[in-house]
Amino acid sequence: MARCDTFEVRPLSHRDELLLLELLDASAACNNQVNYDRRQTLFETQKNEDTRVPVSELKSTVKRAVTQEEYRQKYIQILSSSTPQQLVQKNWVPWKAYFALLSKYRDPDNNTVTDRPSPPGYWKEDGKRTPRIVIRNDQYTLELGNRSRLEIPVGQDLKEKYGLGYYERLRLEVAGQPRWTGKQGRLEIVYDRDTETFTAHRNVGGEDNPPRRRDSYQPSLATTGSGEEVVAAVDIGANNLAAVTTSQGDHRLYHGRPAFHTFHAHTERIAELQSILDDEWSSKQIRSVYQTRGEQRNHSMDALVRNLGEWLAERSVTELIVGALGGVRKKHWSATVNEKTDLFWAHGRFRRRLNDVLEFEYGITVTEKSEAGTSSQCPACKSDDVHRSGDLLQCHACRREGHSDIAGSANFLRKHTAESIVVESSGSMAQPAATGENTKVDGHQIQVPCLEWNDHAWTVKHDGLSTKEAPANQSTSHETGNVAPGVSDD
């Protein structure tokens, strides 16, 4: 599996910036022309509606519609010899995904794809080409240090136009720290018109030569001293992003409301900016807010996955069971929760990050299973006579109370683990340390670490105080009910 390093690219002069922009625009034009030829071939092949062409035949016909040599000859004087070939190869990647979806769509026994897939689009945004280039791994030089630099090939016509020597390459300054070590892969440079910046993405490693993280954490993934297999389950929620329980009775809670408030503030700002537009639906400022909102969200989620991975590895967890998101939508649907689950939480991306980070870097298997019905039972006495109000779960049978999501993760773990694994669940009926309402279980005061995002890292809250000094009650719900004295409905 390949990984990616990201760098900021800075031209050394105005001439170099113009040259780089023209190079990236020509590259986008090449890709769009390749894509146009393939789309037209697809449409012509499917023109006769009375005859359905098999997917395998369509795939072969579309792939043969263009050749690397054809586009190498067309763009060699602008992009150099190897870049057009790389663009033809990269353009085929989304086409392969398209035909895979089309095959599933046509299969009557496969219900995973119900809408007819659309063929890949062009490198365009708002009617303009997206300046972008792909460079083969042996055609660029990246030197990192005090004065990091990047050298990329340029076609002869652009060399003559901008005064580069016959054997000279375009030299650029780069900023950023590499995260991965391994075999150097393909380089991709993209220009963002809104921020007027260039960004380089370098692939590292591959199937035969997996990359290693430079600051890699080397956990011990063996079983516990007693030889028991350690399994964990994570309950995904709209307000508390993740509640985790291990089969050894360890718990962890990631409090998501403050991070969502920041996300929602950007959403309101976008709506405000859109309301003052006349016929347009977007602007440079709106796109900038969108980008900031997404980057901040991705930062917090990536940090959560990394923090969770290290915590699980320290406890020798070998498998993590993840709850499917469907139950969250059904139980808590509202406009705000929909924004949380679909936009803020970005469940699909989160699941992919869990797989990539936990399985690849920590060797922890990730499986997704239904968590339906796991929050309506007391994990201590298994009674269904419980009352839930906000984050508080009260058991009328054993008179214990605790955090509903922590209790749910304990029940979720017990539901899906093998009978040979003993789930220590008594600690799940205890409030997180941040609430200040910890319940005594079996005569002991038990605290569950509750972490909150402070725009930089996930840190443990203390004595109910937010790491960003937010109000104690940050619930987006306005419902009221019977709550135990001194316990917030948050």
Side-chain angles (χ1 to χ4, degrees), residues 52-99:
R52 172 178 274 192
V53 181
V55 175
S56 58
E57 183 179 338
L58 271 177
K59 183 177 181 180
S60 177
T61 303
V62 171
K63 187 174 184 180
R64 293 197 308 267
V66 299
T67 64
Q68 295 183 20
E69 181 61 23
E70 173 189 357
Y71 280 90
R72 190 185 76 86
Q73 293 297 334
K74 285 184 178 180
Y75 286 91
I76 187 173
Q77 296 301 322
I78 300 177
L79 299 178
S80 78
S81 177
S82 62
T83 301
Q85 297 172 327
Q86 289 296 301
L87 290 169
V88 172
Q89 292 178 16
K90 183 173 179 62
N91 179 264
W92 182 242
V93 174
W95 278 99
K96 287 196 298 183
Y98 163 73
F99 286 117

XYZ file of all heavy atoms in Angstrom, residues 52-99:
406
model
N -26.862 -4.503 -25.991
C -26.076 -4.145 -24.811
C -24.684 -4.768 -24.937
O -24.535 -5.980 -24.964
C -26.760 -4.635 -23.546
C -25.904 -4.479 -22.305
C -26.612 -4.934 -21.049
N -27.411 -3.876 -20.479
C -27.953 -3.931 -19.257
N -27.783 -5.006 -18.516
N -28.668 -2.926 -18.797
N -23.681 -3.912 -24.985
C -22.305 -4.387 -25.120
C -21.815 -4.857 -23.760
O -21.975 -4.151 -22.760
C -21.393 -3.264 -25.658
C -19.974 -3.765 -25.829
C -21.946 -2.710 -26.959
N -21.213 -6.033 -23.661
C -20.685 -6.517 -22.373
C -19.665 -5.535 -21.790
O -18.942 -4.852 -22.528
C -20.039 -7.855 -22.736
C -20.714 -8.285 -23.999
C -21.035 -7.020 -24.738
N -19.610 -5.486 -20.478
C -18.709 -4.546 -19.804
C -17.264 -4.832 -20.172
O -16.464 -3.909 -20.388
C -18.909 -4.619 -18.280
C -17.879 -3.736 -17.565
C -20.306 -4.169 -17.907
N -16.882 -6.086 -20.247
C -15.499 -6.433 -20.585
C -15.123 -5.919 -21.967
O -13.999 -5.431 -22.181
C -15.311 -7.946 -20.520
O -16.215 -8.596 -21.404
N -16.067 -6.004 -22.917
C -15.794 -5.498 -24.264
C -15.733 -3.981 -24.271
O -14.877 -3.376 -24.951
C -16.871 -5.997 -25.226
C -16.642 -5.590 -26.673
C -17.719 -6.135 -27.601
O -18.365 -7.132 -27.232
O -17.903 -5.543 -28.689
N -16.632 -3.342 -23.528
C -16.589 -1.878 -23.408
C -15.257 -1.417 -22.837
O -14.636 -0.468 -23.349
C -17.729 -1.401 -22.505
C -19.083 -1.075 -23.129
C -20.057 -0.692 -22.033
C -18.955 0.034 -24.154
N -14.833 -2.067 -21.793
C -13.581 -1.699 -21.123
C -12.398 -1.808 -22.072
O -11.554 -0.903 -22.149
C -13.381 -2.587 -19.902
C -12.157 -2.257 -19.081
C -12.087 -3.152 -17.846
C -10.867 -2.822 -16.999
N -10.789 -3.696 -15.796
N -12.341 -2.903 -22.820
C -11.238 -3.097 -23.751
C -11.266 -2.072 -24.876
O -10.224 -1.525 -25.267
C -11.310 -4.518 -24.322
O -10.297 -4.725 -25.282
N -12.454 -1.768 -25.389
C -12.577 -0.804 -26.485
C -12.174 0.596 -26.051
O -11.460 1.309 -26.767
C -14.022 -0.785 -27.009
O -14.401 -2.099 -27.414
C -14.159 0.166 -28.175
N -12.635 1.006 -24.869
C -12.314 2.346 -24.373
C -10.826 2.478 -24.084
O -10.210 3.520 -24.358
C -13.145 2.656 -23.111
C -12.678 3.945 -22.454
C -14.620 2.769 -23.465
N -10.219 1.441 -23.537
C -8.786 1.505 -23.227
C -7.952 1.625 -24.492
O -6.939 2.341 -24.521
C -8.365 0.270 -22.433
C -6.925 0.342 -21.936
C -6.578 -0.820 -21.026
C -5.166 -0.662 -20.464
N -4.808 -1.788 -19.568
N -8.366 0.952 -25.566
C -7.601 0.993 -26.821
C -7.859 2.281 -27.603
O -7.209 2.518 -28.624
C -7.969 -0.202 -27.705
C -7.531 -1.552 -27.154
C -7.566 -2.603 -28.257
N -8.866 -2.619 -28.949
C -9.869 -3.406 -28.624
N -9.740 -4.255 -27.596
N -11.012 -3.365 -29.304
N -8.792 3.104 -27.142
C -9.126 4.322 -27.883
C -7.965 5.299 -27.951
O -7.881 6.111 -28.881
C -10.340 5.001 -27.258
N -7.082 5.269 -26.969
C -5.912 6.160 -26.943
C -4.665 5.326 -26.657
O -4.739 4.267 -26.033
C -6.062 7.268 -25.884
C -7.259 8.143 -26.172
C -6.189 6.672 -24.498
N -3.548 5.827 -27.121
C -2.264 5.172 -26.852
C -1.296 6.180 -26.253
O -1.392 7.390 -26.507
C -1.661 4.588 -28.141
O -1.374 5.659 -29.055
C -2.618 3.585 -28.782
N -0.376 5.682 -25.460
C 0.612 6.562 -24.844
C 1.487 7.221 -25.893
O 1.832 8.403 -25.776
C 1.466 5.753 -23.872
C 0.698 5.198 -22.691
C 1.591 4.462 -21.723
O 2.798 4.644 -21.707
N 0.983 3.605 -20.904
N 1.843 6.498 -26.947
C 2.712 7.046 -27.982
C 2.033 8.183 -28.733
O 2.667 9.191 -29.095
C 3.123 5.937 -28.949
C 4.056 6.387 -30.059
C 5.378 6.929 -29.535
O 5.777 6.577 -28.398
O 6.018 7.723 -30.257
N 0.727 8.046 -28.961
C -0.017 9.097 -29.663
C 0.076 10.420 -28.919
O 0.353 11.475 -29.533
C -1.481 8.662 -29.801
C -2.393 9.726 -30.357
C -3.860 9.328 -30.271
O -4.163 8.188 -29.834
O -4.707 10.174 -30.620
N -0.132 10.408 -27.637
C -0.113 11.657 -26.872
C 1.300 12.095 -26.517
O 1.537 13.280 -26.268
C -0.972 11.505 -25.622
C -2.437 11.662 -25.949
C -3.214 10.555 -26.305
C -3.028 12.912 -25.982
C -4.545 10.699 -26.656
C -4.358 13.074 -26.319
C -5.112 11.958 -26.664
O -6.430 12.111 -27.026
N 2.229 11.162 -26.500
C 3.622 11.555 -26.312
C 4.073 12.419 -27.483
O 4.758 13.436 -27.296
C 4.504 10.316 -26.196
C 5.930 10.622 -25.754
C 6.784 9.375 -25.769
N 7.148 9.025 -27.131
C 8.208 9.521 -27.779
N 8.998 10.415 -27.182
N 8.476 9.167 -29.006
N 3.689 12.041 -28.694
C 4.072 12.809 -29.874
C 3.385 14.172 -29.899
O 3.966 15.171 -30.342
C 3.715 12.018 -31.144
C 4.523 10.751 -31.338
C 6.009 11.039 -31.525
O 6.415 12.131 -31.978
N 6.848 10.078 -31.154
N 2.141 14.241 -29.399
C 1.403 15.503 -29.411
C 1.964 16.512 -28.419
O 1.988 17.719 -28.690
C -0.071 15.255 -29.081
C -0.883 14.643 -30.201
C -2.343 14.541 -29.797
C -3.200 13.969 -30.911
N -4.634 13.866 -30.519
N 2.406 16.058 -27.248
C 2.759 16.977 -26.155
C 4.227 16.921 -25.740
O 4.595 17.537 -24.745
C 1.882 16.666 -24.932
C 0.456 17.139 -25.078
C -0.521 16.301 -25.613
C 0.076 18.424 -24.691
C -1.837 16.723 -25.748
C -1.229 18.856 -24.822
C -2.192 18.003 -25.357
O -3.482 18.429 -25.492
N 5.061 16.212 -26.484
C 6.457 16.057 -26.073
C 7.195 17.389 -26.019
O 8.051 17.603 -25.152
C 7.189 15.064 -27.016
C 8.593 14.772 -26.467
C 7.245 15.582 -28.437
C 9.316 13.686 -27.231
N 6.858 18.330 -26.908
C 7.573 19.604 -26.946
C 7.162 20.546 -25.817
O 7.851 21.537 -25.562
C 7.343 20.284 -28.303
C 7.902 19.515 -29.489
C 9.402 19.294 -29.380
O 10.152 20.162 -28.921
N 9.852 18.120 -29.791
N 6.054 20.227 -25.147
C 5.603 21.077 -24.039
C 5.794 20.386 -22.690
O 6.308 20.982 -21.741
C 4.119 21.455 -24.210
C 3.913 22.209 -25.519
C 3.626 22.292 -23.039
C 2.468 22.563 -25.795
N 5.418 19.109 -22.621
C 5.431 18.397 -21.339
C 6.633 17.498 -21.151
O 6.776 16.910 -20.077
C 4.154 17.545 -21.226
C 2.827 18.299 -21.268
C 1.668 17.318 -21.208
C 2.735 19.292 -20.128
N 7.483 17.351 -22.138
C 8.598 16.397 -22.160
C 8.071 15.018 -22.539
O 6.860 14.817 -22.731
C 9.366 16.351 -20.835
O 8.665 15.602 -19.852
N 8.930 14.036 -22.616
C 8.577 12.736 -23.185
C 7.719 11.872 -22.275
O 6.755 11.246 -22.715
C 9.854 11.963 -23.550
O 9.546 10.680 -24.027
N 8.021 11.835 -20.983
C 7.381 10.865 -20.089
C 6.048 11.335 -19.530
O 5.194 10.509 -19.205
C 8.321 10.541 -18.922
O 8.593 11.712 -18.160
N 5.828 12.638 -19.383
C 4.623 13.138 -18.722
C 3.335 12.758 -19.442
O 2.372 12.329 -18.794
C 4.709 14.664 -18.538
O 5.868 14.974 -17.741
C 3.473 15.196 -17.845
N 3.240 12.883 -20.783
C 2.002 12.445 -21.450
C 1.695 10.974 -21.198
O 0.522 10.596 -21.062
C 2.278 12.718 -22.932
C 3.308 13.796 -22.937
C 4.166 13.519 -21.745
N 2.713 10.135 -21.135
C 2.493 8.719 -20.855
C 1.912 8.526 -19.461
O 1.008 7.706 -19.254
C 3.812 7.960 -20.996
C 4.383 7.989 -22.403
C 5.776 7.391 -22.484
O 6.565 7.496 -21.548
N 6.074 6.751 -23.603
N 2.414 9.287 -18.491
C 1.896 9.193 -17.133
C 0.443 9.661 -17.053
O -0.373 9.096 -16.330
C 2.762 10.032 -16.184
C 4.131 9.458 -15.921
C 4.062 8.119 -15.214
O 3.516 8.006 -14.118
N 4.594 7.085 -15.842
N 0.117 10.688 -17.834
C -1.247 11.194 -17.833
C -2.221 10.178 -18.415
O -3.338 10.008 -17.919
C -1.317 12.503 -18.620
C -0.628 13.706 -17.955
C -0.516 14.864 -18.936
C -1.398 14.147 -16.717
N -1.807 9.478 -19.467
C -2.662 8.439 -20.050
C -2.885 7.320 -19.032
O -4.006 6.813 -18.880
C -2.036 7.892 -21.346
C -2.825 6.677 -21.855
C -1.998 8.979 -22.421
N -1.831 6.939 -18.308
C -1.959 5.883 -17.303
C -2.861 6.326 -16.150
O -3.725 5.577 -15.702
C -0.583 5.497 -16.775
C 0.298 4.808 -17.792
C 1.676 4.483 -17.242
O 1.894 4.499 -16.031
N 2.616 4.202 -18.124
N -2.657 7.552 -15.666
C -3.454 8.030 -14.533
C -4.915 8.201 -14.926
O -5.819 7.939 -14.125
C -2.897 9.347 -13.998
C -3.652 9.863 -12.767
C -3.000 11.062 -12.162
C -3.795 11.562 -10.964
N -3.881 10.554 -9.876
N -5.158 8.633 -16.147
C -6.535 8.801 -16.600
C -7.288 7.476 -16.625
O -8.517 7.449 -16.476
C -6.550 9.436 -17.995
C -7.944 9.615 -18.533
O -8.444 8.783 -19.290
N -8.594 10.706 -18.141
N -6.569 6.379 -16.785
C -7.219 5.073 -16.841
C -7.672 4.602 -15.461
O -8.572 3.763 -15.356
C -6.293 4.050 -17.479
C -6.910 2.684 -17.627
C -6.500 1.522 -17.055
C -8.076 2.351 -18.396
N -7.306 0.487 -17.410
C -8.298 0.965 -18.232
C -8.961 3.077 -19.186
C -9.354 0.306 -18.845
C -10.012 2.425 -19.789
C -10.211 1.063 -19.616
N -7.113 5.128 -14.405
C -7.476 4.690 -13.051
C -8.962 4.926 -12.766
O -9.665 3.995 -12.350
C -6.585 5.384 -12.001
C -7.051 5.044 -10.590
C -5.130 4.957 -12.192
N -9.507 6.145 -12.943
C -10.948 6.307 -12.697
C -11.813 5.531 -13.674
O -12.938 5.150 -13.346
C -11.168 7.824 -12.828
C -10.032 8.313 -13.646
C -8.883 7.441 -13.299
N -11.297 5.277 -14.874
C -12.069 4.478 -15.828
C -12.200 3.031 -15.353
O -13.255 2.408 -15.517
C -11.417 4.528 -17.215
C -11.784 5.767 -17.982
C -11.046 6.909 -18.122
C -12.992 5.993 -18.715
N -11.710 7.833 -18.877
C -12.915 7.294 -19.269
C -14.130 5.239 -18.957
C -13.934 7.847 -20.040
C -15.153 5.790 -19.730
C -15.048 7.064 -20.259
N -11.161 2.494 -14.773
C -11.257 1.133 -14.221
C -12.294 1.074 -13.115
O -13.067 0.108 -13.022
C -9.887 0.678 -13.689
C -8.879 0.354 -14.764
C -7.706 -0.433 -14.227
C -6.943 0.354 -13.189
N -5.745 -0.394 -12.708
N -12.322 2.104 -12.260
C -13.326 2.149 -11.201
C -14.730 2.276 -11.791
O -15.687 1.672 -11.282
C -13.037 3.318 -10.259
N -14.854 3.041 -12.864
C -16.161 3.202 -13.514
C -16.684 1.865 -14.035
O -17.860 1.523 -13.828
C -16.046 4.209 -14.661
C -17.197 4.149 -15.640
C -18.454 4.643 -15.305
C -17.022 3.577 -16.909
C -19.517 4.583 -16.202
C -18.073 3.516 -17.803
C -19.320 4.013 -17.451
O -20.361 3.938 -18.335
N -15.832 1.108 -14.703
C -16.280 -0.172 -15.255
C -16.558 -1.198 -14.152
O -17.429 -2.060 -14.315
C -15.238 -0.710 -16.245
C -15.219 0.023 -17.552
C -14.102 0.734 -17.963
C -16.343 0.028 -18.372
C -14.095 1.418 -19.167
C -16.346 0.721 -19.573
C -15.219 1.416 -19.972
